[in-house]
Amino acid sequence: MSPNDTTRTALRICPLCEATCGLALTIGEGRVTGARGDREDVFSRGFICPKGAAFPELDGDPDRLARPLVRENGRLREASWEEAFDLVAAGLRPLVEEHGPHTVGVVLGNPNVHTMAGALYPPVLLKALGTRSVFTASTLDQMPKHVSSGLLFGDALAIPVPDLDRTDHLLLIGANPLDSNGSLCTAPDFPGRLKALKRRGGRLTVIDPRTTRTARLADRHVAVRPGTDALLLAALAHVLFEEGLTAPGRLTEHTEGFDEVRDAVQDFTPEAVAEACDVPAGEIRAIARELAAAPTAAVYGRVGGSTVEFGTLTNWLVDVLNVLTGNLDRPGGAMFPHSATDRAPRPAAPGRGFRLGRWHSRVGGHPEAKGELPTAALAEEIDTPGEGRVRALICVAANPVLSAPDGKRLDEALAGLDFMVSVDPYLNETSRHADVVLPPPPPSQSAHFDFAFNAFAVRNQVRYTRAAVPLQPGRLAESEIHSRLILAVSGMHGAPASAVDDMVIGQTLGKAVADPHAGVHGQDAQRLAGLLTGVSGPERRLDMMLRLGPYGDGFGADPEGMNLEKLLAHPHGLDLGPLRPRLPELLKTRSGRVELLPAPIAADLPRLRRALQERPGGLLLVGRRHLRSNNSWMHNVPALKGGSNRCTLQVHPQDAERLGLAEGLPARVKGDGGELEVPVEITDAVRTGVVSLPHGWGHDRTGARLTVAAAEPGVNVNQLLDGTRLDPLSGTAVLNGFPVQITAVRPTPAV
Ligand SMILES: Nc1nc2c(c(=O)[nH]1)N[C@H]1C(S)=C(S)[C@@H](COP(=O)(O)OP(=O)(O)OC[C@H]3O[C@@H](n4cnc5c(=O)[nH]c(N)nc54)[C@H](O)[C@@H]3O)O[C@H]1N2
Ligand SMILES: Nc1nc2c(c(=O)[nH]1)N[C@H]1C(S)=C(S)[C@@H](COP(=O)(O)OP(=O)(O)OC[C@H]3O[C@@H](n4cnc5c(=O)[nH]c(N)nc54)[C@H](O)[C@@H]3O)O[C@H]1N2
Ligand code: SF4
Ligand SMILES: [Mo]
């Protein structure tokens, strides 16, 4: 029998990073045996990275949980889904009734943006709970961008992305897409797209204290001192004003506050910031002139410009530069994607604006941002006694014990909770504390649609893949896990899971028919619901969103328009064309214009001005990502381990010599929150005064089930932090550019 008789191919969009590559999976005997890039995918055209290639191993990891776990007499044991959800309902409802809604904390981790369930259900869960104790990976990552976009454009989700395929000049700040494959800029084959930029004569400038693989591609690499990008960017803006290089063009009529920004950056001359940034004033002027001279240019910043002391100011300045050079919202500049599940265009009108600090955290008094509290403050919200304490936790796709500052304190806090639920495929550093663990199926058994990343994609396109392999007996789809969790916390335990989807569909269509700007205005919501196709709740909801969306069929109004059936008929996706200008239609500010100097930003500028005087003397630590890794949960796949993917402290040769550090031998690293020992790797890939340690390691806690990862656990870099260093506007943890002390660990001589 030829292999073709027993094997088949199934398409699956890769959920492992933001690039969303199309995979062609080989399926044999009900499991995934191979993965390659789908050459016909309209967006990724066959590109794949080593993580995508390891999809079969990752999907089939024997450590993945197959059944729910429940705690009995202190120990976790397997249980049926019925028993597990009974315990969830019994564990959470009484706490809410006694202590109120905020007593249940919700932690949402990164993979929620990589699953359909994670996009569709957490908003419903949060509404059902009514809790303000919401903590997500955003405050360990991109919250500064949300805040900046909220303030500038009135919409925290209106995030401009570089128009990568058409730009003449890319100024990249604190991002390393050659290893991360891009973030808040969904672009399969980011490396290839950067090379194409250079081939068509474009320029790439990279600002990064490390000589990353991306920096090696650059025409200009600036090894800035960590944490000082806001100063550098303010100086770039200053030069644009000073030298008459601003050219906002059509943005002038849609923007207010140019003069105010000119005044605000007055003090930040290149000469004034040069020493703090450790970048010569002449080079800063050159960068500004190159940016202004480029026919089109895009300024783009990511994690290294976000998880820093001035994260929101840095992200704001990124878009200020895009506006001042006229590059915001024009082809080749920084543009707003328009995804198929976004809202349909409507006449431009003033909106409700974006507000920060509508409430504050109980212990630290941190302002909420986008309805969230800082994840760095989660431990104190649990372990500080008093009214309103978080006593129970629902943790979905999150591993904050490793991902957030001071994992030790959080570890202990989690152990003291009255009740905890984890929705997680692994028993890991965080989920080991749960009273109930609800494991979602492996990705091959789930359908996939990128609700989040299509809205950050460098080309408008839409793709959907159904589960590649049928759900194994005894498994529950992640959407059903979420639905049943929602029912369990909202006093509807035992109702059919479809009740949640029916409710959302009823509400959404009810709103749409009542909206005078919607294409379906005045129609009968129930009739529209009856028209939805799809074999599951998530599919019906996807159909609804597509049909109401900017390319939708409007439930029949446009027979050529988008719906689920049409998408299913195009298994490699549908290309919806290059990004198009969207101003002023997408603005939701109160003024109806781009508000270039919002009040909260202006109020934070004195802090930046003070930084002009500061000269950090010691060593600063920054992170790094490895192509074959992903945050905290991919160290359990043998195919992705080893080689250069190791948990080492990278130190510049000069610093190593000064500190007496030797290659491969341990160093002791001390920060505000603790200390650790880690092997040294001497390399000029980091600049002097800077050391680098990756995150997501430290798999040495008992009670986890990560056989491969535990064999080479590494250390948890976030143990060096105590959770008090935050970007004040967004509550985002400072994970890059914090001070550490380093000493050599001498082997004890044998006696
Ligand atoms: N020092 C330092 N710390 C950092 C960073 C840094 O650069 N430096 N980066 C930060 C960033 S950018 C982020 S986004 C955060 C991430 O922080 P987290 O989201 O807390 O961390 P992850 O490691 O992504 O954890 C994901 C969890 O989801 C589970 N999971 C995997 N697949 C699925 C699935 O399909 N469904 C469900 N329900 N669960 C799943 C995994 O088992 C794991 O427990 O870490 C942050 N921490
Ligand atoms: N292979 C792999 N891919 C991933 C992930 C992963 O863990 N591994 N994680 C995914 C996630 S959750 C995210 S959010 C994205 C992140 O995607 P990126 O932001 O592209 O990735 P990072 O590697 O965090 O890049 C941050 C860069 O900022 C630099 N940096 C640190 N401090 C500073 C500073 O103060 N100023 C400047 N200018 N630069 C600084 C670091 O040296 C680093 O090179 O990647 C995603 N993709
Ligand atoms: S680049 Fe990202 S989406 Fe593409 S194959 Fe690799 S992990 Fe998957
Ligand atoms: Mo992230």
Side-chain angles (χ1 to χ4, degrees):
M1 206 158 56
S2 87
N4 290 342
D5 295 329
T6 53
T7 63
R8 62 184 171 91
T9 302
L11 301 178
R12 211 302 180 180
I13 301 163
C14 180
L16 303 179
C17 87
E18 299 183 34
T20 71
C21 301
L23 303 179
L25 303 177
T26 313
I27 315 290
E29 292 167 9
R31 63 186 182 87
V32 185
T33 55
R36 57 186 167 76
D38 172 18
R39 272 187 229 105
E40 290 168 72
D41 183 289
V42 294
F43 196 22
S44 65
R45 308 236 172 249
F47 179 79
I48 188 174
C49 87
K51 286 192 297 299
F55 185 97
E57 290 87 343
L58 191 108
D59 195 69
D61 185 345
D63 279 342
R64 277 181 187 269
L65 303 172
R67 302 268 173 280
L69 302 177
V70 300
R71 192 169 299 278
E72 186 174 63
N73 301 326
R75 295 181 71 90
L76 286 168
R77 63 159 172 86
E78 286 197 354
S80 69
W81 290 100
E82 278 60 39
E83 192 181 1
F85 284 108
D86 285 347
L87 282 173
V88 173
L92 290 174
R93 285 300 300 167
L95 286 172
V96 175
E97 274 151 29
E98 192 181 339
H99 302 285
H102 311 314
T103 206
V104 181
V106 177
V107 184
L108 301 171
N110 170 272
N112 282 305
V113 281
H114 296 277
T115 65
M116 288 180 79
L120 295 176
Y121 299 91
V124 190
L125 175 72
L126 295 181
K127 219 170 171 187
L129 283 167
T131 178
R132 285 180 174 175
S133 307
V134 182
F135 308 85
T136 85
S138 296
T139 52
L140 304 170
D141 185 350
Q142 83 288 356
M143 188 59 91
K145 190 84 235 174
H146 290 307
V147 170
S148 149
S149 280
L151 295 170
L152 282 164
F153 313 123
D155 181 352
L157 293 173
I159 293 179
V161 304
D163 188 9
L164 211 50
D165 297 337
R166 291 185 288 184
T167 193
D168 299 295
H169 185 107
L170 182 62
L171 174 54
L172 210 143
I173 299 138
N176 180 18
L178 259 75
D179 287 317
S180 69
N181 276 308
S183 182
L184 293 186
C185 176
T186 284
D189 194 12
F190 210 125
R193 290 172 202 259
L194 286 182
K195 285 169 196 155
L197 159 75
K198 298 194 63 177
R199 267 202 308 276
R200 62 177 181 267
R203 262 184 87 83
L204 173 66
T205 297
V206 172
I207 301 186
D208 197 309
R210 297 189 305 121
T211 309
T212 59
R213 294 206 298 139
T214 309
R216 284 186 222 283
L217 270 188
D219 300 287
R220 183 193 282 281
H221 169 217
V222 181
V224 70
R225 175 175 286 128
T228 65
D229 299 82
L231 293 172
L232 181 71
L233 300 190
L236 294 179
H238 176 99
V239 175
L240 294 179
F241 282 116
E242 184 193 37
E243 301 190 1
L245 299 174
T246 59
R250 73 177 264 274
L251 296 171
T252 311
E253 63 171 307
H254 300 304
T255 308
E256 59 180 43
F258 285 104
D259 292 341
E260 289 80 354
V261 170
R262 173 201 298 265
D263 292 347
V265 298
Q266 186 63 38
D267 299 343
F268 299 96
T269 64
E271 292 69 24
V273 307
E275 208 186 321
C277 299
D278 202 12
V279 180
E283 183 159 27
I284 298 174
R285 284 185 190 278
I287 298 169
R289 288 172 192 152
E290 284 164 10
L291 183 66
T296 64
V299 187
Y300 160 75
R302 263 316 271 128
V303 162
S306 208
T307 55
V308 288
E309 257 185 277
F310 298 104
T312 302
L313 290 182
T314 306
N315 278 278
W316 164 72
L317 282 159
V318 161
D319 285 325
V320 165
L321 291 171
N322 283 322
V323 170
L324 295 182
T325 53
N327 282 302
L328 186 82
D329 199 44
R330 82 165 168 204
M335 302 191 76
F336 299 97
H338 210 176
S339 84
T341 52
D342 202 345
R343 72 166 191 182
R346 50 178 57 216
R352 288 165 57 188
F354 174 80
R355 281 176 55 208
L356 280 167
R358 292 164 298 172
W359 55 86
H360 290 76
S361 71
R362 181 182 63 102
V363 182
H366 301 294
E368 63 78 33
K370 205 171 154 275
E372 301 182 19
L373 299 174
T375 296
L378 172 60
E380 70 187 22
E381 290 297 325
I382 300 173
D383 68 16
T384 311
E387 184 74 18
R389 181 170 85 81
V390 171
R391 293 165 190 270
L393 211 58
I394 301 175
C395 203
V396 187
N399 191 8
V401 168
L402 294 190
S403 303
D406 198 354
K408 197 160 159 281
R409 179 172 177 187
L410 186 58
D411 207 19
E412 286 160 10
L414 297 182
L417 284 167
D418 292 0
F419 193 76
M420 174 171 165
V421 190
S422 271
V423 181
D424 206 289
Y426 286 104
L427 191 58
N428 64 14
E429 297 77 13
T430 299
S431 61
R432 74 194 179 108
H433 290 295
D435 298 285
V436 178
V437 184
L438 304 168
S444 64
Q445 295 173 38
S446 307
H448 194 75
F449 185 88
D450 280 299
F451 289 102
F453 298 124
N454 286 346
F456 307 126
V458 298
R459 204 169 161 93
N460 291 322
Q461 42 71 45
V462 59
R463 295 164 295 152
Y464 173 63
T465 49
R466 280 184 164 159
V469 173
L471 207 57
Q472 276 165 357
R475 290 238 180 231
L476 226 51
E478 185 156 7
S479 53
E480 190 167 344
I481 295 176
H482 280 247
S483 294
R484 289 174 69 168
L485 188 57
I486 291 165
L487 294 168
V489 303
S490 47
M492 290 172 69
H493 179 47
S498 58
V500 174
D501 298 306
D502 291 341
M503 184 197 69
V504 174
I505 288 169
Q507 284 174 353
T508 311
L509 290 175
K511 253 196 222 157
V513 297
D515 177 355
H517 296 301
V520 294
H521 178 63
Q523 298 194 34
D524 175 40
Q526 239 173 346
R527 188 187 71 85
L528 298 182
L531 296 176
L532 293 174
T533 67
V535 297
S536 64
E539 279 199 353
R540 295 177 66 232
R541 288 176 63 184
L542 173 59
D543 192 31
M544 172 181 70
M545 292 163 82
L546 291 170
R547 297 175 93 164
L548 292 175
Y551 313 90
D553 72 357
F555 286 85
D558 175 8
E560 301 295 301
M562 185 74 62
N563 57 34
L564 179 66
E565 254 175 28
K566 185 165 176 191
L567 195 49
L568 285 168
H570 293 84
H572 307 282
L574 280 159
D575 182 43
L576 301 170
L579 305 186
R580 283 180 289 272
R582 292 192 61 197
L583 288 183
E585 175 264 318
L586 71 51
L587 297 174
K588 293 185 192 163
T589 48
R590 282 170 179 269
S591 62
R593 309 173 87 192
V594 177
E595 297 178 359
L596 209 54
L597 185 60
I601 295 282
D604 200 24
L605 281 169
R607 194 169 61 94
L608 187 64
R609 227 164 261 127
R610 286 197 295 278
L612 283 171
Q613 316 307 331
E614 283 163 24
R615 297 286 176 275
L619 290 163
L620 297 173
L621 188 143
V622 301
R624 65 177 189 270
R625 285 175 154 80
H626 194 283
L627 184 59
R628 280 183 291 109
S629 187
N630 188 25
N631 295 337
S632 76
W633 68 280
M634 258 175 231
H635 297 134
N636 209 49
V637 180
L640 295 175
K641 289 203 65 177
S644 56
N645 184 13
R646 288 181 305 139
C647 184
T648 58
L649 183 76
Q650 293 187 338
V651 186
H652 189 273
Q654 282 174 22
D655 288 325
E657 196 183 339
R658 186 170 54 82
L659 296 163
L661 302 174
E663 176 76 19
L665 290 184
R668 183 168 297 119
V669 188
K670 201 171 172 310
D672 305 335
E675 57 181 65
L676 47 83
E677 280 183 22
V678 59
V680 168
E681 178 185 344
I682 299 174
T683 167
D684 60 8
V686 284
R687 51 158 285 171
T688 54
V690 174
V691 295
S692 170
L693 189 57
H695 72 285
W697 295 83
H699 308 289
D700 51 2
R701 287 177 163 84
T702 56
R705 193 181 303 165
L706 297 166
T707 321
V708 178
E712 234 177 301
V715 292
N716 177 10
V717 63
N718 288 326
Q719 202 50 56
L720 298 171
L721 293 160
D722 64 7
T724 57
R725 286 178 192 271
L726 298 178
D727 166 44
L729 281 177
S730 68
T732 303
V734 174
L735 304 170
N736 275 292
F738 58 87
V740 289
Q741 292 101 51
I742 296 179
T743 46
V745 179
R746 296 272 162 250
T748 2
V751 274

